[in-house]
Amino acid sequence: MLKHLQAAACVALTLASASAQMAAQPFQAAPQQQQGTPNAAQTGGQVSPTTPATAVPVQNDTTGDPNLPQAPAPKLTEPLYLRPTTRDYTEGYRFLPNPLLDYKAISYPGQRLTNTSDLRDLLHDGKIYMSLSDAVALALENNYDIAVARINLDIADTDILRAKAGSTLRGVSTSIVDNTLGGTTTTITTGGGPAGTTSSTAGTGASGLVLSTNGGGPAPEVFDPVLTGTVSYESSTTPQSTTVLTGTNTLNQKLFTWNAGYQQGFKTGTLLNVTFDNSRTGTNSERSTYSPLYQNNFKAQLTQHLLQGFGLWLNTRFIVQAKNNRRIEDSVFRQQVLYTVNQVENIYWAVVSAYEDEQAKERALQQSTQLANDNRKQLQIGTLAPLDVVNSDSTVATDKQSLITSQTNLEYQQLLLKQAVARNLNDPELTHAPVVPTDRAGLGRLPEEDMQVEDLVREAYENNPQIEQAMLNMKNNKITIRAEKNGLLPVVDAYGFYAGSGLTGSQNPSLNCNTSTTTNTFVPCASNYYQQQNIPTGGYGSSLSNSFSGKAPDWSVGVNISVPLRNRAAQADQVRSQMELRQSEMRLQQLYTQIRIQVVNAMYAITNDRASVVSAQSARDYQAQALEAEQKKYRLGASTTANVLQQERNLATAENTLISANSAFARDRSSLNQLLANTLDRYGITLQDATTGNLAQRPVIPGLTPPVPPAPPKPLTADPGPLQQ
C-alpha cells in the first residue's frame, strides 16, 4: 500500500512541474516567412501541407495567355522518319526506265526470331551474370514490344505513299505495345509518392477522345494515272423480221473493237479524262454502205472543281496529315522505348529484390537451424525443456517454407527478365540458367533533387512525347475542320471537252444496187460504183486521220451544279470536327496538369524512398545487434529460446523491409527518368540505335553500385556519437 502511495505522489509532482513550466513560457506567434524567401515547395523540398503558400509568378503557362511566360514547345522527335530498314516505303518503284516494276510485289523482310549473341556471352559456369546495362541493351536488341513498334514506323510510311497517290489514309497505331510480362513483384511492397508509382502509357486517340472525322471532307482526285483498255471480237447472226432495214432475212455481223482510256487527277482539283474508241464492222446487210466499216472516236475532257473540292491545299491535305501521322509514330516509338526500358528496369530490380530476399531467407534458415541443434544439445544435458525444442523445430519448418516460396519467386522473376530481353527461350541452357544481377542502386543524390519544381515541370513539358503527340494530333484536327468546311459548299464543276470522229471503209460487197421498186432481186454493184458516186473509201488509217484532222469536230463547255437541300449531313460532320478539336484542346490541358502532378509525386517518391532506405537500414542494424545480444544472453542462460526466435523473426522482417525499400528507390528513380523523358540521353542511347536494334555503344547507367554482403552487427558502445540529422 505504501508503494502505491509513493508512486501516485511521484506522478502528481511530475505533472505539477510540467504545468508550471508551460505557464512560465510566454506565448510565441508562428514565425513569419521573410518576403522574397522561397518556401520549400518552390525549391522542390518537403513542406507542411498546412503552411501558407507564398505568392509567386506563373512560370509555365499552358493556356496561351500572352502576358505570362509560356510553357516550352515540345521538342520534336529527332531525327525525322526513323526507319528500322534501309528501304524508304514512302516511295514506290520508279516509273522509268522499267514501268513494269510498278506491278511487282514488294516483300517486307522477315524478322529475326533468334537471340543476339550478347545474351549467350553473359553465360558463365551455368549462370547468367547480368548488369542493368546488359538488360537494357538486350531489351533494345531483342524485346518483342520494341520490335513490333519498329514495324509501325514502316507502316506509317505506306500511308504517305497512299496519300501521294491521292488515296485516303488507312491510319497508324498510336498506342504503346505492352505485351511484355513483368514489372511487379511481391518483394517490393513500398515506394512511390502519395499517389504511388504511376506512368502513363496512352498515346493519341485515347482517354475518351473521338477522332471519327479525321480524313473527312471532299475526297481528292486520284493522282496516279489510270490507263484502261478494251479489246473484243464479236460474231453475231440475227434473224430479221423484215428485209426493209437490212435487205436480208438473216443479218451476219463481225465486230472487232479496241478502245483505250486515260484518266488522271491533279492537285488543283482538276480531272483529265481522255478516251479513244475504235471499231471494225463487217456485215452482210444490203443497206450498209461500208463493209468492213472503220469508226474512230477521240475525246479529251477537263473538269475543274470550283467550290467543293477546289484548291491545291485541300487536295494535298492527306499528304500533310500522313506526314503528321508519321511524326506521331516517331514520337510513339520514342515513348515505346522509354516505356520498355523502364519496364525492363523494374523487372531487373524485381530480380534483385527476389535474389536478396532468397539470400535473407537462407540466412534466417541457417540461424533457426543452428538454434534448433543447440537446443537438442541442451535438452540432452537436461538444461532445456522439450517444448523449447518443439518451438525451434517449428521455426525451422516455417523458415524452410519461406525459403521455398522465395526461391520459386526468384525463379519466376528470372524467367520474366529473360522473356523481356530475349526472343527465344527454346534453348534449355538459357532457360534454366539462373540470372545473377550484378548491380545495386546507389543512394546518391539525383540532379533533379537540386532543381526547382517548375524547372522539372518545364523539362517534362519539353521532352514528354505525349505532349508532342497531342499537338500533332491537333494539327490534324485543324486540317480536318478546314476540309469539312469546304464540304459544306455545293458542287460546281466547270468542264470542257473536244472530240473528233472518223468513219470510212471499203465498198460493201453485199450492197444491192437494184433500183427497181417492183422487184427485190439482188443486183450487185459495180466494183467502181463508189468512185462513180464519189463516195470516199479507205482503211483504218484514213479513219484515224479523219478523227484528228478536225473534219468532224465536237466540242463543248459547261458547268455542272449540284446543290444539296438542307445539307444536314455536311453540317453534322463540320461541327463534329470542331467538337473533336475542343476535346483535343482540353485533353492537352489535362495532360499538362497530369504531368505536373506526376512530376511532384515522383519527387515525393524519391524523397520518401530515400528516407525509407535510411530507416530500414537503421532498423536492420538494430535488429542485428539485438539478435546478437539476445544470443549472448541465451548462451549465458539469461534468455529463452522464444526470445531468440522472436529476435530472429524481427531481423528477417527488417531485412525484407530494407530489400523492398532499396528496390523501390531504384524503381521510382527510373520512373522519374521516364516521366522527364530523359532516360535515353542519360544512358547514352541514341534513338537511331534503338530503331535498328544495333547498338553502337553499351548504355552507361549512372547511380549503380556493386552488391555488398550484409554488414556484421556493429559493436555496442557507450559513446554512439551525435544523432544524424
Side-chain angles (χ1 to χ4, degrees):
M1 185 64 180
L2 181 59
K3 293 182 178 179
H4 293 297
L5 292 175
Q6 291 175 343
C10 290
V11 172
L13 290 173
T14 302
L15 294 175
S17 175
S19 300
Q21 292 178 1
M22 293 178 62
Q25 292 178 353
F27 174 77
Q28 295 181 355
Q32 296 182 353
Q33 184 174 353
Q34 296 181 0
Q35 185 177 4
T37 303
N39 59 26
Q42 293 173 246
T43 58
Q46 297 292 108
V47 64
S48 172
T50 60
T51 301
T54 302
V56 293
V58 175
Q59 300 182 37
N60 293 296
D61 178 68
T62 61
T63 62
D65 189 336
N67 299 319
L68 296 174
Q70 294 299 299
K75 287 183 179 179
L76 296 178
T77 301
E78 299 287 351
L80 295 178
Y81 296 170
L82 298 167
R83 292 191 176 91
T85 58
T86 57
R87 181 175 183 127
D88 181 2
Y89 290 95
T90 65
E91 301 290 343
Y93 289 116
R94 292 184 178 274
F95 184 71
L96 295 176
N98 187 2
L100 296 180
L101 285 178
D102 288 341
Y103 313 102
K104 178 183 177 182
I106 300 176
S107 297
Y108 194 76
Q111 301 300 294
R112 173 177 54 84
L113 300 178
T114 57
N115 302 320
T116 55
S117 59
D118 295 340
L119 180 58
R120 179 162 285 278
D121 293 341
L122 303 178
L123 185 63
H124 301 287
D125 300 327
K127 295 183 179 181
I128 300 175
Y129 294 89
M130 186 180 298
S131 66
L132 181 57
S133 175
D134 295 330
V136 171
L138 289 171
L140 294 174
E141 294 172 350
N142 298 320
N143 184 267
Y144 275 113
D145 287 351
I146 295 180
V148 171
R150 286 190 186 108
I151 299 180
N152 285 337
L153 298 171
D154 287 334
I155 291 177
D157 279 347
T158 62
D159 254 3
I160 297 178
L161 184 59
R162 284 181 59 85
K164 289 179 178 179
S167 297
T168 57
L169 308 182
R170 297 198 180 277
V172 296
S173 173
T174 55
S175 299
I176 293 298
V177 185
D178 57 352
N179 297 323
T180 298
L181 303 176
T184 59
T185 176
T186 57
T187 55
I188 304 180
T189 58
T190 60
T197 301
T198 58
S199 59
S200 176
T201 63
T204 58
S207 304
L209 299 186
V210 178
L211 303 175
S212 58
T213 61
N214 270 359
E221 302 292 348
V222 178
F223 302 147
D224 280 1
V226 178
L227 184 64
T228 60
T230 302
V231 178
S232 67
Y233 175 77
E234 180 182 1
S235 176
S236 63
T237 301
T238 308
Q240 303 294 301
S241 60
T242 177
T243 60
V244 174
L245 298 178
T246 61
T248 180
N249 293 323
T250 302
L251 178 64
N252 297 324
Q253 283 188 316
K254 308 292 184 181
L255 176 62
F256 181 55
T257 60
W258 59 101
N259 304 326
Y262 179 89
Q263 181 174 295
Q264 182 179 2
F266 297 92
K267 297 177 181 180
T268 55
T270 307
L271 178 64
L272 171 64
N273 201 334
V274 179
T275 58
F276 182 49
D277 299 333
N278 305 268
S279 66
R280 178 187 185 279
T281 306
T283 181
N284 67 342
S285 173
E286 297 177 4
R287 308 287 188 261
S288 178
T289 304
Y290 295 113
S291 181
L293 168 67
Y294 295 97
Q295 286 182 295
N296 307 94
N297 292 283
F298 164 78
K299 183 178 181 180
Q301 178 170 324
L302 280 174
T303 303
Q304 174 64 55
H305 301 303
L306 299 180
L307 291 180
Q308 187 179 127
F310 172 78
L312 183 66
W313 174 89
L314 182 72
N315 290 280
T316 58
R317 71 185 189 278
F318 285 162
I319 298 177
V320 178
Q321 286 184 319
K323 291 180 178 180
N324 287 341
N325 288 342
R326 184 58 166 84
R327 302 195 73 147
I328 290 175
E329 199 60 51
D330 285 347
S331 179
V332 171
F333 180 75
R334 178 164 67 98
Q335 185 182 359
Q336 176 74 61
V337 174
L338 292 171
Y339 174 80
T340 302
V341 168
N342 176 257
Q343 185 181 18
V344 169
E345 287 190 76
N346 290 343
I347 297 173
Y348 185 88
W349 296 124
V351 172
V352 170
S353 65
Y355 186 82
E356 293 188 345
D357 180 72
E358 191 270 344
Q359 291 181 325
K361 295 297 190 295
E362 285 186 353
R363 291 193 297 269
L365 179 59
Q366 291 175 357
Q367 292 170 350
S368 60
T369 302
Q370 181 63 41
L371 180 61
N373 293 331
D374 293 342
N375 286 349
R376 279 175 167 73
K377 294 178 181 178
Q378 294 190 36
L379 178 63
Q380 291 175 358
I381 62 178
T383 59
L384 194 67
L387 187 60
D388 289 335
V389 176
V390 175
N391 188 8
S392 61
D393 288 348
S394 174
T395 302
V396 170
T398 301
D399 289 345
K400 285 182 179 179
Q401 185 271 334
S402 299
L403 177 60
I404 292 174
T405 301
S406 180
Q407 289 173 337
T408 55
N409 177 61
L410 174 59
E411 291 179 8
Y412 180 66
Q413 295 298 330
Q414 289 172 339
L415 281 175
L416 290 180
L417 180 58
K418 292 175 186 176
Q419 63 88 32
V421 302
R423 291 199 182 180
N424 192 319
L425 294 180
N426 296 332
D427 187 349
E429 186 177 9
L430 287 177
T431 304
H432 299 297
V435 177
V436 180
T438 60
D439 282 331
R440 300 295 184 269
L443 289 179
R445 190 169 180 83
L446 304 180
E448 289 79 7
E449 294 182 88
D450 297 324
M451 297 173 61
Q452 292 190 356
V453 170
E454 287 299 326
D455 292 336
L456 291 174
V457 170
R458 189 177 185 86
E459 181 178 350
Y461 286 171
E462 193 172 14
N463 296 331
N464 195 289
Q466 293 182 80
I467 295 180
E468 176 190 6
Q469 295 162 33
M471 288 193 169
L472 289 170
N473 185 58
M474 286 172 56
K475 288 184 177 180
N476 283 344
N477 286 138
K478 293 176 182 178
I479 292 173
T480 300
I481 288 175
R482 189 172 173 184
E484 294 287 7
K485 186 177 179 180
N486 180 266
L488 289 170
L489 301 176
V491 176
V492 179
D493 294 342
Y495 72 90
F497 72 80
Y498 177 85
S501 60
L503 185 149
T504 188
S506 302
Q507 179 176 323
N508 184 3
S510 300
L511 183 65
N512 191 352
C513 287
N514 184 4
T515 59
S516 173
T517 59
T518 59
T519 63
N520 292 327
T521 305
F522 174 77
V523 178
C525 296
S527 59
N528 60 350
Y529 175 74
Y530 281 11
Q531 295 178 357
Q532 298 173 1
Q533 300 295 325
N534 293 324
I535 299 176
T537 60
Y540 174 73
S542 299
S543 176
L544 182 63
S545 175
N546 292 338
S547 298
F548 295 95
S549 64
K551 293 181 178 180
D554 181 13
W555 61 271
S556 174
V557 294
V559 177
N560 292 325
I561 301 176
S562 175
V563 181
L565 301 181
R566 308 281 309 267
N567 207 21
R568 288 182 290 185
Q571 292 175 25
D573 288 343
Q574 183 270 326
V575 71
R576 184 187 181 104
S577 64
Q578 288 196 347
M579 294 174 183
E580 294 177 6
L581 175 62
R582 298 297 177 252
Q583 279 188 330
S584 298
E585 290 172 345
M586 289 187 290
R587 172 55 186 154
L588 177 60
Q589 292 302 316
Q590 184 183 43
L591 192 59
Y592 276 126
T593 302
Q594 289 177 342
I595 290 177
R596 173 181 290 275
I597 297 300
Q598 290 173 351
V599 168
V600 173
N601 180 68
M603 294 308 301
Y604 285 154
I606 296 298
T607 303
N608 295 350
D609 291 343
R610 179 177 282 106
S612 297
V613 172
V614 174
S615 173
Q617 183 65 56
S618 298
R620 188 266 170 197
D621 293 342
Y622 165 72
Q623 294 299 341
Q625 292 172 331
L627 174 59
E628 185 180 46
E630 199 66 37
Q631 288 173 339
K632 290 179 180 178
K633 291 166 60 177
Y634 177 76
R635 287 192 291 268
L636 296 175
S639 183
T640 64
T641 300
N643 290 341
V644 175
L645 292 176
Q646 181 61 47
Q647 290 299 333
E648 289 180 352
R649 285 191 291 269
N650 292 343
L651 176 59
T653 302
E655 288 187 335
N656 290 340
T657 303
L658 178 60
I659 292 170
S660 178
N662 274 315
S663 298
F665 175 78
R667 179 194 61 189
D668 291 339
R669 184 176 63 182
S670 61
S671 296
L672 175 62
N673 292 337
Q674 181 196 6
L675 181 61
L676 298 178
N678 60 10
T679 303
L680 303 184
D681 294 336
R682 182 156 295 181
Y683 293 177
I685 301 171
T686 64
L687 204 53
Q688 298 96 314
D689 289 350
T691 304
T692 61
N694 301 318
L695 302 184
Q697 61 182 11
R698 309 296 290 181
V700 179
I701 302 177
L704 302 178
T705 62
V708 178
K714 297 180 181 179
L716 297 176
T717 176
D719 184 17
L723 180 65
Q724 293 184 358
Q725 299 297 323

